[in-house]
Amino acid sequence: MKIKAFISIILFLIVSLFLISATKKIFAPTPIILDIPTNFPPLPNKIFAKNPLTEQGFLLGKKLFFDASLSKTNDISCASCHQPFAAFANYYHDFSHGVNNSFTTRNAPSLVNLLWMKNWHWDGGVNHLEVQPLSPLTAPNEMGQHLDTLLNILKQNVEYKNMFAAAFGDEKITSQRMLWALNQFTGSLISANSKYDLVKNGNATFIEPEQKGYELFKANCNSCHKEPLFTDNSFRNNGVGLNANNDIGRQGITQIKTDYLKFKVPTLRNIGLTLPYMHDGRYAILEDVIKHYSNINPTTTNLDVALTKKIIFTEKEQQQLILFLYTLTDTSFTKNKRFNM
């Protein structure tokens, strides 16, 4: 009798555990393994160490990125200023439009290969990709939203509740989880399949003027725009001078005198799609950018040492350089449906 009672208890426990597990939804998000380009340097940060990259987190971040209802006026999203077809820059806008017909004070940079950066924004004012969205979400001249209001909007949306549960295990919606999801989407924006990359991988060949332009690039531009990222992520004064907004650049963050008018060296990847150029979008076309570097005053205060010697190109060399720069366009990235709505 004791043995039968013991067996009955064991069977009861097994059935109970089975019923509990059957009614409890198992949290098992689909992990994503980033495809790191073989010619890229190692990642400088472990961005996803506490925020594992998953399909559910990526899709949630993508929805947040394209959702204009998160702005104060329901008409501005992250994608309004970072358009996929423009390599996630703002095509042909020196300053982007914010809520209530306001304007930003800097040109929207391309959101590509963000994982290889240590600082973000033109002045490097953000040192972790997870918190980068806070500024545009809450800035009165961008999306203009209060963080508490934004979270309440998400909490009242059934679809978002389900997506947060799928990404993080339950329906709890917090600012950290929202930023983690956006981080998963923007951190996945890797561009490394341009003609330049195909040539480097042995799958294509430059035509002669592109090759000549590449040689000119290596001789004159590569010290700041280092391959293969085409930026060294440094902050430099490139001689453009103070603009009407009195933007002093990196000095506004560090308060160091020698950082006056230093701005982040932008990547040249997809540069044919990210016009206009410079931190304030003052140059509409690449020809204007090249002319600027050919006419810098070498006595400019705090000018970067790499630019104290003028870079002079003939008309033919200028066109060859531009043809090379166009080989950095990655249409497989800009047209990738995974990154578009």
Side-chain angles (χ1 to χ4, degrees):
M1 291 294 295
K2 290 183 179 181
I3 294 176
K4 289 183 178 180
F6 178 74
I7 293 174
S8 296
I9 292 171
I10 295 297
L11 289 172
F12 174 78
L13 290 173
I14 291 173
V15 172
S16 298
L17 290 171
F18 174 78
L19 290 174
I20 292 172
S21 63
T23 57
K24 184 178 180 181
K25 190 174 181 179
I26 298 174
F27 175 60
T30 307
I32 295 176
I33 306 300
L34 277 180
D35 185 15
I36 303 298
T38 56
N39 61 325
F40 274 30
L43 292 175
N45 303 301
K46 296 181 179 180
I47 296 291
F48 298 121
K50 296 182 180 180
N51 176 28
L53 184 59
T54 67
E55 182 67 13
Q56 291 76 10
F58 171 90
L59 291 175
L60 172 58
K62 179 180 178 179
K63 180 174 175 60
L64 290 164
F65 189 87
F66 285 91
D67 191 351
S69 72
L70 304 186
S71 69
K72 186 176 181 178
T73 52
N74 299 309
D75 59 353
I76 302 293
S77 69
C78 301
S80 298
C81 302
H82 298 284
Q83 302 158 313
F85 70 85
F88 291 86
N90 199 176
Y91 185 76
Y92 219 71
H93 280 72
D94 49 359
F95 301 131
S96 303
H97 293 264
V99 295
N100 298 319
N101 296 315
S102 58
F103 285 90
T104 59
T105 58
R106 288 177 179 159
N107 181 253
S110 172
L111 302 184
V112 299
N113 303 330
L114 298 179
L115 295 183
W116 282 267
M117 299 179 185
K118 295 181 180 180
N119 303 89
W120 294 267
H121 293 189
W122 281 103
D123 56 15
V126 173
N127 60 11
H128 201 296
L129 186 57
E130 281 183 8
V131 299
Q132 188 281 326
L134 281 176
S135 177
L137 283 168
T138 60
N141 62 339
E142 295 191 55
M143 295 176 71
Q145 190 61 277
H146 292 288
L147 191 57
D148 289 342
T149 303
L150 172 55
L151 292 176
N152 286 332
I153 291 172
L154 298 177
K155 290 174 182 178
Q156 294 171 20
N157 186 301
V158 174
E159 184 178 3
Y160 270 122
K161 290 170 70 173
N162 291 335
M163 293 185 76
F164 270 86
F168 300 110
D170 58 58
E171 294 182 354
K172 186 177 181 181
I173 296 176
T174 66
S175 58
Q176 184 180 61
R177 285 182 170 184
M178 176 188 69
L179 294 172
W180 274 355
L182 283 167
N183 186 20
Q184 291 195 38
F185 176 71
T186 58
S188 299
L189 300 177
I190 298 175
S191 177
N193 193 37
S194 64
K195 181 176 181 178
Y196 162 85
D197 297 294
L198 296 176
V199 171
K200 285 296 183 178
N201 293 329
N203 297 316
T205 305
F206 287 136
I207 61 174
E208 184 178 353
E210 292 171 343
Q211 180 63 39
K212 293 290 186 181
Y214 182 37
E215 292 166 4
L216 289 166
F217 172 84
K218 289 190 290 184
N220 296 281
C221 314
N222 197 40
S223 60
C224 300
H225 298 282
K226 291 187 179 296
E227 303 173 70
L229 297 173
F230 287 88
T231 174
D232 63 358
N233 288 313
S234 65
F235 299 88
R236 300 174 186 253
N237 182 342
N238 69 348
V240 296
L242 196 64
N243 63 18
N245 292 327
N246 292 317
D247 192 342
I248 60 175
R250 181 71 171 158
Q251 187 187 27
I253 300 298
T254 65
Q255 301 301 309
I256 298 173
K257 185 177 180 179
T258 53
D259 281 339
Y260 178 65
L261 290 182
K262 286 186 178 181
F263 293 91
K264 190 166 191 176
V265 175
T267 179
L268 299 184
R269 283 187 171 272
N270 298 294
I271 192 171
L273 305 174
T274 60
L275 63 163
Y277 306 108
M278 303 298 177
H279 68 278
D280 53 7
R282 67 178 62 190
Y283 296 131
I285 56 177
L286 286 173
E287 285 84 351
D288 292 338
V289 176
I290 295 173
K291 287 177 183 177
H292 161 72
Y293 287 113
S294 298
N295 293 286
I296 291 178
N297 182 350
T299 64
T300 299
T301 301
N302 202 38
L303 181 67
D304 191 85
V305 64
L307 299 172
T308 53
K309 183 179 179 180
K310 289 186 178 182
I311 304 173
I312 306 297
F313 297 105
T314 66
E315 190 69 27
K316 183 177 181 179
E317 288 174 333
Q318 175 178 285
Q319 294 307 312
Q320 290 171 336
L321 177 59
I322 290 173
L323 283 174
F324 165 70
L325 292 175
Y326 285 157
T327 71
L328 303 180
T329 299
D330 180 1
T331 54
S332 68
F333 170 72
T334 58
K335 294 181 179 181
N336 192 336
K337 292 182 178 179
R338 182 166 173 78
F339 301 139
N340 285 267
M341 286 301 285

